[in-house]
Amino acid sequence: MAGFLSPSAAQDAEDRASLISVKSVAPSPDTLTKLIKRLRALTLTLLPVEVDPDSINEPTSRVITPQVIAAFRAAAGDFVEALPYCLLRARAEFMWDANHNPADYGENRGRAVACEVLARRIVHLAEPDRLATIMSTRYRHRQVDGDASEMGSALEVAIDQHCTIFLSSSEAQEVVQQLWSGELIQVNNEAHDIEYVRYDDTREHSFWGHLDVSRLSVPRYQNIFRIIVWLIFLGVFSQAVREPLDKLDANLRSFDQWEVVLYIMSLAFIFEDLYKFFKLLRFVTWRAFSFWNVIALITDSILLAAFILRVLGIRAHGDPVLRLQSFQVLSYAAPFIWMKIVTVFDGYKYIGTMQICVARMLKESGIFFALLSVLALGFTQGLYALDAADGNAESPSAVVHILVQALLQAPDYGRFEPNSPTLVLYYFWSAVTAIVLLNVLISLFSSAYSEVVDDAEAQYLAFFASKTVGMIRAPDSYVYPAPFNLIELVFVAPFEVIPGLRLSQKHYAKLNRFVMGTIFFIPLTIIALFESRFARNKPNAWLNNWFRGDDEGADFDTPASRNPTVDDPNCDGLQISKIPFEEIVKVFPNTQLSSEAVILKEIDALKKQLEALTKALEARA
């Protein structure tokens, strides 16, 4: 009746799933949609009523039991490797139902959490050699409108939904670390689909095998290169904004040398961001955009506006007004440029958690600014109408300045002393903003901060996964980090897009390898030396361990650690393992089961004993 729950049946099913890999079968969107619907039906049957999400996520949950996990695995049939992806898709649908049906929000929220927890537990049961395939294989499903969805893997779907429970698992982080260090690399096919393969399977483990231009696309090296370039850009920007002080000639009709470097690097950053936005919109989804993408867009717009004004000023024979406006606009970019330096150190947990808190606070502040904008419009109209009642009104901009000053705790009450009704309305505005709206903002910030800090570990791991996958998500076979992407744009890209100059795929690859090998010879040599000589799995990994430290508990679960022997001559005849390890652990409670499950198990054992005793009495009678 429930043979699929037995260990032997589960093992046989997993063996069949390994022999008939989903990656080789390549199920169609319709097939996966049918599996998603089946999983939704199972989840609805499992949770017909509202259940606390915290109780679902407990390690010894009475809802997500080993029997339930085995049932969901059996429900996938021969498509077990696609099961985490389908469960996360079911989670997205339950969250959509929750957000669009407030009356059943609690029920659907619990079902969404159950799908995510099931996906995590099922990945935990996967074979280690199949883990990367399960997490990185990309699928499609059929959307509500009948169109096929964009390609996505279980890892990408979890990142898009910010699934902290799934992304904080050791299995997900193992794959993320492999992507971060370049052990897993992406291979782009002609259909712009991405396949992940192990780098060691494509190259020999030697210096020349790792001297490869594709290693520049590894997120770890991209991050280091970006840090160095961005610190240089900060120095150049700091010198460029001093140009009006260093050169007092207002009629200077040429760029300063620092300005030349600044705008060349700015142009490179603009092209890099535009290319990234285009790739994300074309191949991924708008959900891949984050708070820092908005900051990059604002920074690029300010730098571009400053550059345009500077060029117009030079063409206008050194117009001092345009020159002044150019440097004024350029000054507005300083806060955003220095703000982005936070991303340089987001590899540290404290800085990364702080970055998450800031982004969440700004997101939550949308409610505050929505209320503020509505009230501001009403008070602006009221104050302007009272001012215009005597037939002589100031400009609306003056009214806006007065309201902003009151919002920033610097009200000018003396301005409205001659007009008592206007002063009363101004008092009312000051009270509403200072007492009501600001307290609303403080409570929103406090709520956002507590949500992040209370679950800081999972939040940071989810953020790190998003950061890693975001660096490689937009497919690009040859990565030219800014500002060297301008070289690609001028000398390489024409041989790909211009019909008369277009090269074959083979010759275009040779051109890219020659250009990148020449430009990045020194970084590529350092990378190849590091990977071939100081890899963690090499005998001389002492340098890596010296920097990163050893895992103190890596070898605790061995026979020698369980029952150690004493070979100390000063302790002749003495023993540590007088009582074997196996005897000691017999008194330990079973922490893999909840208290309810333990009680039920004991009751079941008592039932069996009573049945045996009853049968024995009946036989004797």
Side-chain angles (χ1 to χ4, degrees), residues 11-294:
Q11 185 63 38
D12 292 341
E14 186 162 350
D15 291 341
R16 289 197 303 270
S18 298
L19 294 174
I20 309 174
S21 174
V22 174
K23 187 175 181 181
S24 60
V25 173
S28 66
D30 294 328
T31 301
L32 291 185
T33 302
K34 293 177 182 178
L35 178 55
I36 293 171
K37 291 181 178 179
R38 190 181 197 197
L39 296 174
R40 279 176 55 87
L42 286 172
T43 308
L44 287 168
T45 306
L46 176 66
L47 297 174
V49 296
E50 182 176 352
V51 179
D52 184 14
D54 292 336
S55 65
I56 298 174
N57 190 30
E58 290 178 354
T60 58
S61 173
R62 62 183 180 86
V63 179
I64 310 298
T65 62
Q67 291 78 13
V68 171
I69 296 172
F72 271 82
R73 293 186 69 192
D78 293 327
F79 299 94
V80 177
E81 292 193 356
L83 186 55
Y85 171 83
C86 294
L87 281 169
L88 292 173
R89 284 304 317 164
R91 178 197 183 277
E93 294 180 7
F94 278 125
M95 286 304 302
W96 190 93
D97 294 339
N99 294 327
H100 290 79
N101 188 6
D104 294 333
Y105 179 85
E107 292 89 333
N108 288 312
R109 169 64 177 163
R111 293 161 188 159
V113 173
C115 290
E116 184 178 352
V117 173
L118 281 166
R120 172 173 177 160
R121 304 284 174 82
I122 288 170
V123 169
H124 179 71
L125 296 176
E127 293 293 332
D129 59 337
R130 305 299 301 171
L131 181 61
T133 301
I134 293 173
M135 297 290 289
S136 61
T137 302
R138 311 181 88 219
Y139 308 103
R140 294 179 189 269
H141 68 279
R142 189 68 61 186
Q143 296 177 329
V144 179
D145 56 3
D147 295 334
S149 67
E150 297 292 338
M151 297 291 292
S153 63
L155 187 62
E156 292 170 332
V157 172
I159 290 172
D160 292 339
Q161 299 180 47
H162 193 67
C163 300
T164 55
I165 297 174
F166 184 82
L167 294 174
S168 61
S169 65
S170 58
E171 292 77 21
Q173 287 302 310
E174 180 180 347
V175 176
V176 170
Q177 286 293 337
Q178 291 177 357
L179 292 172
W180 174 260
S181 61
E183 296 178 30
L184 278 180
I185 60 173
Q186 64 179 16
V187 178
N188 305 321
N189 57 28
E190 296 179 356
H192 298 290
D193 187 17
I194 298 175
E195 296 180 0
Y196 291 96
V197 298
R198 293 194 175 277
Y199 184 74
D200 291 339
D201 296 339
T202 62
R203 296 287 191 280
E204 61 178 6
H205 190 71
S206 64
F207 175 81
W208 298 109
H210 287 271
L211 190 62
D212 185 7
V213 296
S214 65
R215 301 308 285 168
L216 288 174
S217 62
V218 173
R220 176 169 59 185
Y221 306 134
Q222 284 191 54
N223 189 60
I224 295 173
F225 198 90
R226 187 183 63 174
I227 290 172
I228 296 173
V229 171
W230 196 256
L231 292 177
I232 294 174
F233 180 72
L234 281 175
V236 172
F237 178 82
S238 301
Q239 290 295 327
V241 294
R242 291 180 52 84
E243 193 266 348
L245 294 176
D246 296 338
K247 297 187 177 181
L248 300 178
D249 185 7
N251 297 319
L252 184 65
R253 299 183 182 180
S254 63
F255 284 105
D256 179 72
Q257 64 269 21
W258 293 108
E259 287 183 285
V260 173
V261 179
L262 171 69
Y263 288 122
I264 288 177
M265 297 184 73
S266 301
L267 190 63
F269 291 138
I270 291 172
F271 280 120
E272 183 182 51
D273 292 334
L274 290 176
Y275 180 76
K276 185 182 300 183
F277 295 157
F278 169 75
K279 289 290 187 180
L280 289 177
L281 288 176
R282 181 179 178 184
F283 301 116
V284 192
T285 174
W286 60 270
R287 294 183 182 86
F289 287 89
S290 64
F291 166 74
W292 294 107
N293 294 120
V294 177

Side-chain angles (χ1 to χ4, degrees), residues 558-565 576-577 579-582 584:
T558 60
S561 299
R562 293 187 173 192
N563 295 304
T565 59
I576 294 177
S577 307
I579 304 176
F581 182 88
E582 292 73 17
I584 295 175

Side-chain angles (χ1 to χ4, degrees), residues 53 87 92 109 129-130 148 182-183 199 270 273 286 294 320 322 325 329 410 418 451 459 522 531 533-534 547 568:
L87 281 169
R109 169 64 177 163
D129 59 337
R130 305 299 301 171
E183 296 178 30
Y199 184 74
I270 291 172
D273 292 334
W286 60 270
V294 177
L322 290 174
Q325 292 177 348
V329 172
E451 287 180 4
Q459 292 287 346
I522 296 178
E531 292 185 343
R533 301 299 300 169
F534 303 118
F547 281 111
D568 188 353

Side-chain angles (χ1 to χ4, degrees), residues 237 295 299 302 330-340:
F237 178 82
I295 295 297
T299 306
I302 294 175
L330 185 63
S331 301
Y332 279 104
F336 299 98
I337 291 175
W338 282 95
M339 187 186 302
K340 287 189 67 176

Side-chain angles (χ1 to χ4, degrees), residues 520-580:
F520 303 110
F521 177 75
I522 296 178
L524 288 173
T525 303
I526 296 174
I527 292 172
L529 183 64
F530 170 77
E531 292 185 343
S532 61
R533 301 299 300 169
F534 303 118
R536 197 171 183 83
N537 56 349
K538 296 291 288 181
N540 55 357
W542 62 269
L543 184 62
N544 198 335
N545 295 333
W546 185 54
F547 281 111
R548 299 180 57 182
D550 295 323
D551 188 356
E552 296 293 340
D555 58 349
F556 73 97
D557 196 11
T558 60
S561 299
R562 293 187 173 192
N563 295 304
T565 59
V566 177
D567 53 2
D568 188 353
N570 298 326
C571 302
D572 189 18
L574 302 180
Q575 299 183 47
I576 294 177
S577 307
K578 281 189 173 183
I579 304 176

Side-chain angles (χ1 to χ4, degrees), residues 342-362:
V342 176
T343 61
V344 172
F345 302 101
D346 58 9
Y348 297 96
K349 178 185 173 182
Y350 178 79
I351 303 297
T353 305
M354 180 185 68
Q355 183 183 148
I356 299 171
C357 289
V358 172
R360 184 69 64 85
M361 287 178 179
L362 293 177

